[in-house]
Amino acid sequence: MRVVVDLTRCQGYGQCVFLAPDVFTMRDEALLYDLQPADERREHVLRAAAACPVQAIHLDRTAGPPREADGEVMKDGRIVIVGASLAGARAAEVLRREGFAGSLTMIGDERGEPYDRPPLSKQVLTGQVPPEHTLLPRLREIDAEWLCGTPATGLDVAGKRVRLADGREVGFDRVLLATGTRARRWPDEAQAALEGVHTLRDARDAAGLRRALAAGPRRVLILGAGFTGSEIASVCRELDLPVTVVERGPAPLYSAMGGVIGDVAAGLQREHGVDLRCDTTVTELLSDGAGRLTGARLSDGGTVEADVAVVALGSVRNVEWLRDSGLAVSAWGVTCDAGCRAVDLNGLVTDDVFVAGDIARFPHPLYEYQFMTLEHWGNAVSQAEIAAHNMVSDQAHRWPHLSVPVFWSSQFGVNIKSVGVPTFADQVVFTQGSPEERRFVAVYGYKGRITAAVTFDQAMWLEFYQHRIEQAAPFPPDYRHVGMGAADGGPVPARVPERLVPSAGATVVVTGHDPAERRVSLVHPR
């Protein structure tokens, strides 16, 4: 059987640990689990899933009958999903649940079935589960044609066809774009190819890095202290491996949560023996002359000796194949409306092209309608459900994607969760617990209202603050809770990164004079 826990919902109650302790384990509030437990544990896992207070445990099972639809539903025709990972697989399940019985084609660049990516930087690297145990459970058997291992290379919106790398073309009535992201590689190709240099994005990456860590390197060098880099550093210390983390910003997690929480994360890493170098970059990866990594040269003039390096410098959205499609595509993603319908170069919403997951750049009403892309597990699932519903529904019954972003990370024995957008803030205040004890709730505010909350081992508060965000509750919070201990100092500046404006990608030129002929053309940089 296959198991996956929606950790955006999990609140650390731990009933699953008591009912199936050889499948689920809890480290403080951080839940770890075997994604593909032995069949003899099935009854225990079923009881654990039934007992979960927030119903966060999903198993292989056939879902109930299709839901009774509101309004007109597209039941026949051809739907193509480009991207066969989490968002694409979830959308396919929802399409069948919604009553779509027509032709469904799944296109993916990786061979094999969809799998869950978060465990790759956690259970897989520690050796708790092998990479092949990360396959996603199917809540509904998907009647679909799977074209895996053959990436899409182009999209003809007018002709309604997807072009594939092997020369084939697949026609559609409606198409969902969910091609996700890939790891950003080290820019120097020769240095990136050195033996010992790794990235972490897919199952093959995880298997290779696991082997490298299991071999007992003298030191691991991690380039970047975002969530992925920090989680890998945590695994290294758990394996008792010396690790150096080099971060361009002033603190770990700074770009996602700001400097206040970044300082807490920095202290957490150093307490666990991480050699953390902030406000520093790697300028060169060094070799022994025979193709093997020996270390790195840093921007401060120093060097670090290491025989394993992990490049964790963020991700690149897989949108190059859409460059000539006529859609509004950039390094920031594919622009769409709140109903996941893609927008073309002229700013017009398309009727038959939808977007979901890591590449979707959509306006969020809670955050002043600013366009954002969210590389979060929970967003991929919820946005895929909205997109799938809207693909087969009439205009009067389409839904907007209004989910409040939720993200989690497990590192150094601490369960870190956030709800909302922490970088959309000007102040932050600790409302429960203590940052010194690494157990607290930090609430973010912008112009007098709550916009986000971050918890360290206090996940049960997350739902409460999600409701406060949705209701535009005033900031700073004017209520007191049991256990409040760190709020006496009041709000402090959130120290979030300056909001970036796209400047290095393609731009547009407007042509024509009559309103009927005015159009936009895309101009790529040379």
Side-chain angles (χ1 to χ4, degrees):
M1 68 185 306
R2 303 180 199 170
V3 177
V4 67
V5 179
D6 182 352
L7 290 173
T8 63
R9 296 180 59 84
C10 174
Q11 296 181 9
Y13 288 101
Q15 278 86 338
C16 57
V17 178
F18 292 105
L19 293 169
D22 48 353
V23 177
F24 303 95
T25 58
M26 189 78 72
R27 298 181 182 176
D28 295 320
E29 286 195 13
L31 181 70
L32 298 175
Y33 60 97
D34 186 347
L35 288 84
Q36 196 167 328
D39 287 340
E40 57 265 26
R41 308 306 301 163
R42 184 176 185 84
E43 290 302 318
H44 295 271
V45 175
L46 289 173
R47 285 199 292 269
C52 177
V54 293
Q55 295 297 286
I57 302 173
H58 301 289
L59 313 172
D60 267 333
R61 63 181 186 273
T62 301
R67 74 173 190 88
E68 188 172 334
D70 298 322
E72 293 291 328
V73 173
M74 174 181 167
K75 294 186 177 180
D76 298 312
R78 301 172 300 174
I79 290 181
V80 173
I81 298 176
V82 187
S85 191
L86 177 65
R90 183 58 180 161
E93 294 167 354
V94 174
L95 285 170
R96 294 307 191 196
R97 184 193 72 190
E98 294 280 323
F100 176 71
S103 168
L104 179 58
T105 302
M106 305 285 295
I107 298 172
D109 58 354
E110 291 188 65
R111 297 187 180 276
E113 295 185 43
Y115 56 88
D116 203 22
R117 295 186 189 274
L120 300 182
S121 60
K122 304 174 183 71
Q123 294 101 309
V124 172
L125 290 190
T126 61
Q128 182 181 356
V129 298
E132 59 269 20
H133 278 203
T134 61
L135 295 178
L136 288 167
R138 292 185 181 179
L139 305 184
R140 170 181 295 280
E141 289 301 319
I142 305 172
D143 177 18
E145 177 187 17
W146 291 79
L147 302 179
C148 295
T150 306
T153 57
L155 178 69
D156 180 354
V157 175
K160 293 189 174 183
R161 307 193 71 80
V162 176
R163 293 188 292 273
L164 304 183
D166 62 5
R168 285 182 292 173
E169 293 188 346
V170 181
F172 63 83
D173 294 309
R174 286 183 178 156
V175 62
L176 175 65
L177 313 178
T179 45
T181 63
R182 63 185 183 275
R184 187 180 301 278
R185 289 175 56 83
W186 183 247
D188 186 295
E189 293 185 7
Q191 295 174 22
L194 292 174
E195 181 183 340
V197 177
H198 299 260
T199 57
L200 181 58
R201 174 60 185 172
D202 57 32
R204 185 168 56 181
D205 293 339
L209 182 54
R210 168 59 190 162
R211 288 192 296 270
L213 298 181
R218 292 173 299 158
R219 177 168 293 274
V220 178
L221 170 65
I222 299 175
L223 288 67
F227 285 107
T228 298
S230 296
E231 289 174 0
I232 297 171
S234 175
V235 168
C236 289
R237 294 308 301 138
E238 187 174 341
L239 298 174
D240 199 28
L241 296 174
V243 58
T244 295
V245 176
V246 178
E247 165 59 31
R248 176 189 298 272
L253 313 183
Y254 171 74
S255 62
M257 295 184 173
V260 175
I261 301 302
D263 289 346
V264 178
L268 186 64
Q269 291 201 15
R270 290 183 171 120
E271 288 168 11
H272 284 80
V274 175
D275 174 23
L276 177 63
R277 316 279 188 95
C278 295
D279 294 313
T280 308
T281 59
V282 170
T283 59
E284 182 182 5
L285 296 176
L286 305 175
S287 75
D288 62 357
R292 290 184 294 270
L293 176 78
T294 59
R297 184 170 288 112
L298 308 183
S299 58
D300 61 8
T303 59
V304 174
E305 293 184 359
D307 38 6
V308 170
V310 185
V311 180
L313 298 175
S315 58
V316 178
R317 295 177 181 90
N318 295 318
V319 296
E320 295 89 347
W321 69 284
L322 296 167
R323 175 171 174 158
D324 298 318
S325 65
L327 299 179
V329 178
S330 72
W332 298 84
V334 182
T335 302
C336 61
D337 70 358
C340 303
R341 296 179 300 174
V343 173
D344 71 11
L345 288 175
N346 298 290
L348 298 175
V349 175
T350 61
D351 292 325
D352 303 316
V353 182
F354 293 75
V355 196
D358 295 354
I359 66 169
R361 183 170 180 257
F362 67 100
H364 204 304
L366 281 175
Y367 298 97
E368 298 183 346
Y369 293 93
Q370 291 194 23
F371 281 86
M372 57 181 65
T373 49
L374 300 171
E375 298 176 25
H376 300 167
W377 193 97
N379 181 72
V381 172
S382 60
Q383 197 168 44
E385 292 174 349
I386 295 292
H389 169 83
N390 290 346
M391 290 178 82
V392 297
S393 297
D394 60 66
Q395 180 66 33
H397 295 92
R398 286 176 173 168
W399 301 336
H401 176 51
L402 299 176
S403 297
V404 180
V406 179
F407 187 79
W408 81 91
S409 177
S410 175
Q411 50 188 269
F412 303 102
V414 174
N415 185 25
I416 302 173
K417 283 195 171 185
S418 74
V419 61
V421 181
T423 54
F424 192 94
D426 49 27
Q427 290 184 307
V428 63
V429 63
F430 292 98
T431 56
Q432 284 90 25
S434 164
E436 290 76 21
E437 297 175 359
R438 310 296 187 242
R439 184 178 176 86
F440 60 83
V441 179
V443 179
Y444 293 71
Y446 180 70
K447 293 184 178 179
R449 70 178 180 90
I450 296 175
T451 55
V454 171
T455 66
F456 275 45
D457 280 346
Q458 291 275 14
M460 284 184 284
W461 284 104
L462 217 64
E463 186 175 0
F464 172 84
Y465 281 106
Q466 179 175 330
H467 293 321
R468 304 284 78 73
I469 295 167
E470 292 173 341
Q471 297 302 311
F475 179 91
D478 57 0
Y479 36 75
R480 297 190 64 83
H481 303 294
V482 175
M484 179 179 287
D488 296 340
V492 297
R495 293 163 46 206
V496 298
E498 184 179 354
R499 291 177 196 163
L500 300 178
V501 177
S503 60
T507 187
V508 298
V509 296
V510 180
T511 58
H513 300 282
D514 186 271
E517 65 180 21
R518 282 178 66 80
R519 291 293 184 269
V520 161
S521 299
L522 198 62
V523 177
H524 292 278
R526 295 185 177 181

